[in-house]
Amino acid sequence: MSSCDSCSDSSCSVKQPGQANDQQSQMRQALDRRMCGVKHKIVVMSGKGGVGKSTTAVNLALALAQQGNKVGLLDIDLHGPSIPKMFGLEGQHPNADENGIYPLETGDLKVMSIGFLLESTGDATIMRGPMKHGAIQQLLSDVVWGELDYLLLDCPPGTGDEPLSAVQLLGSRAAAVVVTTPQDVALTDVEKSLSFCRELKLPVVGLVENMSGFICPHCGGKSDIFKRGGAQKLAEKTGIKLLAEIPFEPLVVIGGDAGQPHLLAHPDSANSEALRTVAKAVCDYCAAD
């Protein structure tokens, strides 16, 4: 049985009668055909930059894969793709044939980013609204994802073109994980992300409070350098579940720069344990969906 035969999305254009009669319809069918093989789509987003969203997306994808799932990670930060560096894959390029573009694989994870399509890591991606939508549609429909349990999308900060296009293109069985840090200046912007999800009828799995306390690498003590508990207050205010409070550890930064994700390099850390908690919450949510 093909993935389209088992697709549960009643709006899927592949399941509609008739033939695609224009280019846009053909592109939509190509996208739906590819997404039929993906059980769950998780949009990792935040209204605020600098909250560790990409780090969360990378390690959450790895945690889901470690639980025996087939996982893909798509970087849709078109202007500042960081996923290639965080996996130590800078300078590598995907293979392609008549079937499409093949994502790079690292361990059990399939990874794709516009960064893999640039000639140099220093090249700028210069595009505006309609071009961004088209680029994200191509990354979703032209990439040979195969059968996946989860496809995670790492979005740039804010509620602009990239997350809007992603939500519009993904179809059903998509949900969001929203990342914040504890301080009020971040929470104010992150609340806008929750409003974005409500407006677009995108379910929210829950909130992740990142950098929730600093763990000293020397004494093991914990200091609340960005305050603590802000995400819990936002969760209570909005009715959105708080999935985990992830502490900040200097080794996370070192690993990200070195292309060694923290969950793999330090699986027994408090940070890694919190990320596995988030992964379990995502699995439980999707199982009940």
Side-chain angles (χ1 to χ4, degrees):
M1 181 172 60
S2 70
S3 58
C4 288
D5 292 331
S6 61
C7 177
S8 60
D9 186 354
S10 60
S11 66
C12 174
S13 66
V14 180
K15 300 175 76 66
Q16 304 302 317
Q19 298 294 321
N21 53 13
D22 57 42
Q23 184 180 14
Q24 187 60 40
S25 296
Q26 291 173 7
M27 291 174 65
R28 183 71 228 189
Q29 279 205 356
L31 171 63
D32 287 343
R33 188 174 292 109
R34 198 73 80 184
M35 289 297 100
C36 278
V38 180
K39 292 180 181 178
H40 304 285
K41 304 109 174 179
I42 304 296
V43 181
V44 182
M45 63 183 301
S46 177
K48 185 70 174 175
V51 299
K53 174 182 46 53
S54 293
T55 301
T56 301
V58 164
N59 288 286
L60 175 57
L62 288 167
L64 287 167
Q66 286 182 351
Q67 294 179 6
N69 297 294
K70 297 177 181 177
V71 183
L73 175 62
L74 174 59
D75 180 1
I76 63 166
D77 191 338
L78 302 177
H79 298 292
S82 55
I83 296 300
K85 183 173 183 61
M86 298 180 80
F87 279 106
L89 298 173
E90 284 183 301
Q92 297 194 34
H93 302 286
N95 294 319
D97 60 21
E98 66 276 5
N99 295 315
I101 304 169
Y102 291 85
L104 275 65
E105 297 192 22
T106 174
D108 296 325
L109 195 64
K110 295 181 178 180
V111 183
M112 188 61 199
S113 168
I114 198 169
F116 297 140
L117 305 178
L118 303 176
E119 290 187 11
S120 167
T121 56
D123 287 349
T125 307
I126 303 173
M127 59 178 68
R128 52 176 46 164
M131 291 179 65
K132 292 183 180 181
H133 184 89
I136 293 170
Q137 183 165 357
Q138 283 192 294
L139 288 170
L140 287 168
S141 61
D142 290 358
V143 174
V144 184
W145 294 106
E147 301 289 323
L148 294 178
D149 295 306
Y150 296 95
L151 176 62
L152 275 67
L153 278 71
D154 177 30
C155 295
T159 55
D161 290 318
E162 291 90 335
L164 177 59
S165 292
V167 174
Q168 290 174 334
L169 290 167
L170 285 175
S172 69
R173 304 188 74 80
V177 169
V178 181
V179 183
T180 186
T181 46
Q183 70 270 41
D184 292 343
V185 69
L187 293 163
T188 299
D189 288 339
V190 169
E191 189 169 2
K192 294 180 175 67
S193 293
L194 300 179
S195 176
F196 169 91
C197 293
R198 284 195 301 272
E199 290 290 330
L200 294 181
K201 296 180 172 55
L202 177 68
V204 179
V205 181
L207 289 163
V208 172
E209 183 175 276
N210 199 26
M211 305 183 198
S212 183
F214 168 76
I215 297 180
C216 176
H218 305 294
C219 69
K222 191 173 184 179
S223 302
D224 295 329
I225 56 175
F226 293 120
K227 302 198 301 186
R228 190 180 179 190
Q232 180 61 52
K233 293 178 182 178
L234 182 59
E236 293 170 356
K237 176 182 177 181
T238 60
I240 301 296
K241 184 178 180 180
L242 176 61
L243 303 181
E245 296 175 338
I246 303 177
F248 177 75
E249 299 180 53
L251 289 173
V252 175
V253 178
I254 295 170
D257 286 345
Q260 299 174 342
H262 189 76
L263 193 82
L264 298 182
H266 303 281
D268 297 326
S269 71
N271 185 289
S272 295
E273 182 59 36
L275 282 158
R276 283 191 290 270
T277 298
V278 178
K280 183 180 184 303
V282 170
C283 290
D284 290 345
Y285 173 90
C286 291
D289 182 21

Short mmCIF file of all heavy atoms in Angstrom, two decimals, residues 209-232:
data_model
loop_
_atom_site.label_atom_id
_atom_site.label_comp_id
_atom_site.label_asym_id
_atom_site.label_seq_id
_atom_site.Cartn_x
_atom_site.Cartn_y
_atom_site.Cartn_z
N GLU A 209 10.70 26.07 28.05
CA GLU A 209 11.49 27.16 28.62
C GLU A 209 12.96 26.78 28.52
O GLU A 209 13.44 25.92 29.26
CB GLU A 209 11.10 27.44 30.07
CG GLU A 209 11.88 28.61 30.65
CD GLU A 209 11.43 29.00 32.05
OE1 GLU A 209 10.44 29.76 32.16
OE2 GLU A 209 12.05 28.54 33.03
N ASN A 210 13.66 27.42 27.62
CA ASN A 210 15.09 27.15 27.42
C ASN A 210 15.90 28.12 28.28
O ASN A 210 15.42 29.17 28.69
CB ASN A 210 15.44 27.32 25.94
CG ASN A 210 16.75 26.64 25.58
OD1 ASN A 210 17.16 25.68 26.24
ND2 ASN A 210 17.40 27.12 24.56
N MET A 211 17.17 27.75 28.54
CA MET A 211 18.06 28.56 29.39
C MET A 211 17.43 28.81 30.75
O MET A 211 17.52 29.89 31.32
CB MET A 211 18.42 29.88 28.70
CG MET A 211 19.01 29.70 27.32
SD MET A 211 19.51 31.26 26.56
CE MET A 211 19.61 30.78 24.83
N SER A 212 16.77 27.79 31.26
CA SER A 212 16.07 27.88 32.54
C SER A 212 17.04 27.56 33.67
O SER A 212 17.06 26.46 34.23
CB SER A 212 14.89 26.90 32.54
OG SER A 212 14.16 26.99 33.73
N GLY A 213 17.87 28.52 33.96
CA GLY A 213 18.90 28.31 34.98
C GLY A 213 20.22 27.90 34.35
O GLY A 213 20.25 27.14 33.38
N PHE A 214 21.31 28.42 34.88
CA PHE A 214 22.66 28.11 34.40
C PHE A 214 23.31 27.11 35.35
O PHE A 214 23.36 27.32 36.56
CB PHE A 214 23.50 29.39 34.35
CG PHE A 214 24.98 29.17 34.15
CD1 PHE A 214 25.47 28.83 32.91
CD2 PHE A 214 25.86 29.28 35.22
CE1 PHE A 214 26.84 28.62 32.72
CE2 PHE A 214 27.21 29.06 35.05
CZ PHE A 214 27.70 28.74 33.80
N ILE A 215 23.79 26.00 34.78
CA ILE A 215 24.46 24.99 35.58
C ILE A 215 25.96 25.19 35.48
O ILE A 215 26.54 25.11 34.39
CB ILE A 215 24.07 23.57 35.12
CG1 ILE A 215 22.57 23.35 35.33
CG2 ILE A 215 24.88 22.52 35.88
CD1 ILE A 215 22.09 21.98 34.90
N CYS A 216 26.59 25.49 36.60
CA CYS A 216 28.03 25.76 36.62
C CYS A 216 28.80 24.48 36.30
O CYS A 216 28.57 23.44 36.93
CB CYS A 216 28.45 26.29 37.98
SG CYS A 216 30.24 26.54 38.15
N PRO A 217 29.72 24.54 35.32
CA PRO A 217 30.47 23.33 34.96
C PRO A 217 31.51 22.94 36.01
O PRO A 217 32.06 21.84 35.97
CB PRO A 217 31.15 23.72 33.65
CG PRO A 217 31.29 25.20 33.73
CD PRO A 217 30.08 25.68 34.47
N HIS A 218 31.77 23.82 36.98
CA HIS A 218 32.80 23.57 37.99
C HIS A 218 32.21 22.97 39.28
O HIS A 218 32.70 21.96 39.78
CB HIS A 218 33.55 24.86 38.30
CG HIS A 218 34.14 25.51 37.10
ND1 HIS A 218 35.16 24.94 36.36
CD2 HIS A 218 33.84 26.68 36.48
CE1 HIS A 218 35.48 25.73 35.34
NE2 HIS A 218 34.69 26.80 35.39
N CYS A 219 31.16 23.62 39.79
CA CYS A 219 30.59 23.16 41.06
C CYS A 219 29.26 22.44 40.89
O CYS A 219 28.78 21.81 41.84
CB CYS A 219 30.43 24.33 42.03
SG CYS A 219 29.15 25.52 41.53
N GLY A 220 28.64 22.56 39.70
CA GLY A 220 27.34 21.93 39.48
C GLY A 220 26.18 22.72 40.03
O GLY A 220 25.03 22.28 39.93
N GLY A 221 26.47 23.90 40.62
CA GLY A 221 25.40 24.73 41.16
C GLY A 221 24.58 25.37 40.06
O GLY A 221 25.02 25.49 38.92
N LYS A 222 23.38 25.80 40.40
CA LYS A 222 22.47 26.36 39.40
C LYS A 222 22.11 27.79 39.77
O LYS A 222 21.75 28.09 40.91
CB LYS A 222 21.20 25.51 39.32
CG LYS A 222 20.29 25.86 38.15
CD LYS A 222 19.15 24.83 38.05
CE LYS A 222 18.28 25.10 36.82
NZ LYS A 222 17.20 24.12 36.70
N SER A 223 22.23 28.69 38.78
CA SER A 223 21.90 30.10 38.98
C SER A 223 20.88 30.53 37.95
O SER A 223 21.00 30.20 36.77
CB SER A 223 23.16 30.97 38.84
OG SER A 223 24.17 30.58 39.75
N ASP A 224 19.88 31.29 38.38
CA ASP A 224 18.82 31.73 37.48
C ASP A 224 19.21 33.05 36.84
O ASP A 224 18.69 34.12 37.16
CB ASP A 224 17.50 31.87 38.24
CG ASP A 224 16.99 30.53 38.75
OD1 ASP A 224 17.27 29.52 38.11
OD2 ASP A 224 16.32 30.52 39.80
N ILE A 225 20.12 33.00 35.86
CA ILE A 225 20.64 34.22 35.26
C ILE A 225 19.61 34.93 34.39
O ILE A 225 19.70 36.14 34.18
CB ILE A 225 21.92 33.93 34.44
CG1 ILE A 225 21.65 32.85 33.38
CG2 ILE A 225 23.06 33.52 35.34
CD1 ILE A 225 22.83 32.61 32.46
N PHE A 226 18.65 34.22 33.84
CA PHE A 226 17.58 34.82 33.05
C PHE A 226 16.25 34.78 33.80
O PHE A 226 15.19 34.81 33.18
CB PHE A 226 17.42 34.10 31.71
CG PHE A 226 18.58 34.28 30.78
CD1 PHE A 226 19.29 33.19 30.34
CD2 PHE A 226 18.96 35.54 30.35
CE1 PHE A 226 20.36 33.34 29.47
CE2 PHE A 226 20.02 35.71 29.48
CZ PHE A 226 20.73 34.61 29.04
N LYS A 227 16.30 34.71 35.08
CA LYS A 227 15.11 34.46 35.91
C LYS A 227 14.63 33.03 35.67
O LYS A 227 15.28 32.25 34.96
CB LYS A 227 13.99 35.47 35.65
CG LYS A 227 14.39 36.91 35.90
CD LYS A 227 13.19 37.82 36.06
CE LYS A 227 12.28 37.85 34.89
NZ LYS A 227 11.19 38.86 35.03
N ARG A 228 13.49 32.69 36.19
CA ARG A 228 12.96 31.35 36.04
C ARG A 228 11.46 31.36 36.29
O ARG A 228 10.97 32.16 37.08
CB ARG A 228 13.66 30.38 37.00
CG ARG A 228 13.34 28.90 36.73
CD ARG A 228 14.06 27.99 37.69
NE ARG A 228 13.76 26.60 37.45
CZ ARG A 228 14.11 25.60 38.25
NH1 ARG A 228 14.81 25.86 39.35
NH2 ARG A 228 13.78 24.37 37.97
N GLY A 229 10.76 30.49 35.62
CA GLY A 229 9.33 30.36 35.88
C GLY A 229 8.45 31.20 34.97
O GLY A 229 7.22 31.15 35.08
N GLY A 230 9.06 31.98 34.07
CA GLY A 230 8.26 32.82 33.18
C GLY A 230 7.36 32.00 32.27
O GLY A 230 6.20 32.36 32.04
N ALA A 231 7.89 30.91 31.75
CA ALA A 231 7.08 30.07 30.85
C ALA A 231 5.92 29.43 31.60
O ALA A 231 4.85 29.22 31.02
CB ALA A 231 7.96 29.01 30.22
N GLN A 232 6.12 29.11 32.87
CA GLN A 232 5.04 28.53 33.67
C GLN A 232 3.90 29.54 33.81
O GLN A 232 2.72 29.19 33.70
CB GLN A 232 5.55 28.11 35.04
CG GLN A 232 4.49 27.50 35.95
CD GLN A 232 3.89 26.23 35.37
OE1 GLN A 232 4.62 25.32 35.00
NE2 GLN A 232 2.57 26.17 35.29
#
